[in-house]
């Protein structure tokens, strides 16, 4: 019997696995950092809306309405440089001192006290200025019998504006003067006696107060005339001889 050949079935080809889907890599955008808000910081030395301090020089014209910020008196009253100038007859003198009731500051304050009448004779108002508290300045004023007001500038706004603030903290001894128009008459550091001398020269300057200088000249002229009159009234040697001769003649007649 013939052998029947069976055809082998071709082996089943396993189905090809679908190609793996590539994960689309999303390009990560760099994280954008939020922009920092830049805030304009107010100058440390110019609180209360005052302008940034700049170095002032003699002859400068300053804006009194915004110069130096707000300060207070030893009595605790709020004030400004503009108000002080408005209340004065001819302007304001500020002498700065580091600390109330210390030896150098006492010497300076007493020198201004002893020359007070002379220094204010031209219409300038004198003020002491420091970063001391009202209490400390009141004690200082009372103990030394100071005839002028002491100003308390705890934030050194006015001290910085007139260029007499030490960095980072402290006050340079000095003097500052300004007239009614805002013109700077003096602005310089100095010791106790030199600060007084600056103001003494200032009030003696005809440009500051011509009337006072003219009165001094008139007084000198009057003194000169008086001396001439005294000399004119003195008898000359000839007059004296004539007088003696007349007296001798009178004796002979008697």
């Amino acid at each position: 019997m013939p052998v029947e050949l069976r055809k082998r079935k071709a082996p089943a080809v396993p189905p090809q696995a679908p190609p793996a889907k590539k994960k689309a890599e999303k390009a990560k955008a760099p994280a954008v950092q939020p922009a920092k808000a830049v805030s304009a910081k107010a100058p440390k030395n110019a609180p209360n809306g005052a302008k940034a301090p700049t170095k002032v020089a003699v002859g400068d014209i300053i804006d009194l309405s915004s110069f130096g910020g707000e300060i207070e008196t030893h009595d605790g009253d709020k004030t400004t440089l503009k108000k002080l100038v408005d209340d004065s007859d001819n302007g304001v003198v500020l002498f700065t001192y580091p600390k109330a009731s210390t030896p150098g500051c006492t010497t300076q304050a007493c020198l201004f006290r002893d020359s007070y009448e002379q220094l204010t004779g031209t219409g300038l108002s004198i003020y002491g200025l420091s970063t001391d508290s009202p209490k400390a300045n009141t004690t200082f004023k009372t103990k030394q019998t100071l005839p002028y007001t002491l100003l308390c500038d705890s934030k050194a706004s006015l001290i910085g504006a007139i260029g007499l603030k030490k960095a980072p903290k402290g006050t340079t001894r000095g003097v500052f003067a300004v007239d009614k128009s805002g013109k700077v008459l003096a602005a310089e550091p100095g010791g106790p006696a030199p600060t007084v001398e600056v103001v003494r020269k200032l009030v003696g300057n005809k440009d500051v107060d011509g009337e006072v200088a003219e009165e001094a000249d008139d007084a000198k002229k009057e003194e000169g005339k008086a001396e001439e009159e005294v000399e004119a009234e003195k008898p000359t040697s000839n007059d004296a001889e004539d007088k003696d001769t007349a007296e001798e003649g009178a004796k002979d007649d008697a």
Side-chain angles (χ1 to χ4, degrees), residues 4-28:
E4 185 179 352
L5 296 175
R6 294 182 180 178
K7 292 182 179 180
R8 286 185 182 177
K9 291 182 179 181
V13 179
Q16 259 188 342
K21 291 181 180 180
K22 291 185 179 180
K23 293 182 179 179
E25 294 183 359
K26 293 182 180 180
K28 293 183 179 180

Side-chain angles (χ1 to χ4, degrees), residues 202-226:
L202 189 64
V203 298
N205 188 335
K206 188 172 181 179
D207 291 337
V208 177
D209 194 332
E211 292 181 3
V212 173
E214 286 173 6
E215 286 175 4
D217 290 339
D218 291 341
K220 287 181 180 179
K221 289 178 182 177
E222 290 297 329
E223 288 177 5
K225 287 180 181 179

Side-chain angles (χ1 to χ4, degrees), residues 5 34 56 71 83 93 106 108 141 164 181 184 194-195 204 219 249:
L5 296 175
V56 292
I71 51 177
K83 187 176 186 305
V93 171
T106 300
Q108 183 184 24
K141 175 180 168 65
L164 293 172
S181 68
V184 177
T195 53

Side-chain angles (χ1 to χ4, degrees), residues 1-251:
M1 200 173 157
V3 179
E4 185 179 352
L5 296 175
R6 294 182 180 178
K7 292 182 179 180
R8 286 185 182 177
K9 291 182 179 181
V13 179
Q16 259 188 342
K21 291 181 180 180
K22 291 185 179 180
K23 293 182 179 179
E25 294 183 359
K26 293 182 180 180
K28 293 183 179 180
V32 178
Q33 296 288 340
K36 292 183 179 179
V38 179
S39 58
K41 294 183 179 179
K44 291 182 179 179
N45 290 340
N48 303 319
K51 288 185 177 180
T54 54
K55 191 172 183 180
V56 292
V58 174
D60 289 350
I61 303 295
I62 61 175
D63 182 4
L64 292 170
S65 64
S66 60
F67 190 86
E70 189 177 66
I71 51 177
E72 62 182 325
T73 68
H74 65 271
D75 289 326
D77 298 326
K78 303 293 183 183
T79 189
T80 61
L81 179 61
K82 184 180 187 308
K83 187 176 186 305
L84 298 176
V85 171
D86 288 345
D87 292 343
S88 72
D89 292 331
N90 201 32
V92 164
V93 171
L94 305 174
F95 71 88
T96 57
Y97 53 95
K99 190 171 179 60
S101 299
T102 54
C105 300
T106 300
T107 298
Q108 183 184 24
C110 290
L111 286 173
F112 273 96
R113 176 197 65 192
D114 298 341
S115 301
Y116 183 73
E117 289 186 9
Q118 176 194 0
L119 300 181
T120 57
T122 63
L124 291 173
S125 297
I126 305 289
Y127 294 92
L129 175 65
S130 73
T131 56
D132 292 297
S133 66
K135 182 178 179 181
N137 269 332
T138 298
T139 300
F140 189 30
K141 175 180 168 65
T142 303
K143 187 175 181 179
Q144 303 303 331
T145 60
L146 305 178
Y148 44 79
T149 298
L150 297 181
L151 302 173
C152 309
D153 186 10
S154 61
K155 296 180 180 178
S157 59
L158 180 54
I159 293 171
I162 62 178
L164 293 172
K165 182 181 184 298
K166 283 183 180 178
K169 188 178 180 181
T171 302
T172 298
R173 193 186 311 282
V175 64
F176 172 84
V178 61
D179 68 9
K180 298 279 283 185
S181 68
K183 182 179 179 180
V184 177
L185 305 176
E188 61 183 86
T195 53
V196 177
E197 191 59 29
V198 168
V199 185
R200 186 176 285 117
K201 289 179 180 177
L202 189 64
V203 298
N205 188 335
K206 188 172 181 179
D207 291 337
V208 177
D209 194 332
E211 292 181 3
V212 173
E214 286 173 6
E215 286 175 4
D217 290 339
D218 291 341
K220 287 181 180 179
K221 289 178 182 177
E222 290 297 329
E223 288 177 5
K225 287 180 181 179
E227 288 178 1
E228 289 176 2
E229 290 175 358
V230 170
E231 289 295 329
E233 290 176 358
K234 288 183 180 179
T236 63
S237 58
N238 291 334
D239 291 338
E241 289 177 2
D242 291 343
K243 185 178 180 182
D244 292 341
T245 302
E247 288 177 354
E248 288 177 0
K251 287 180 182 178

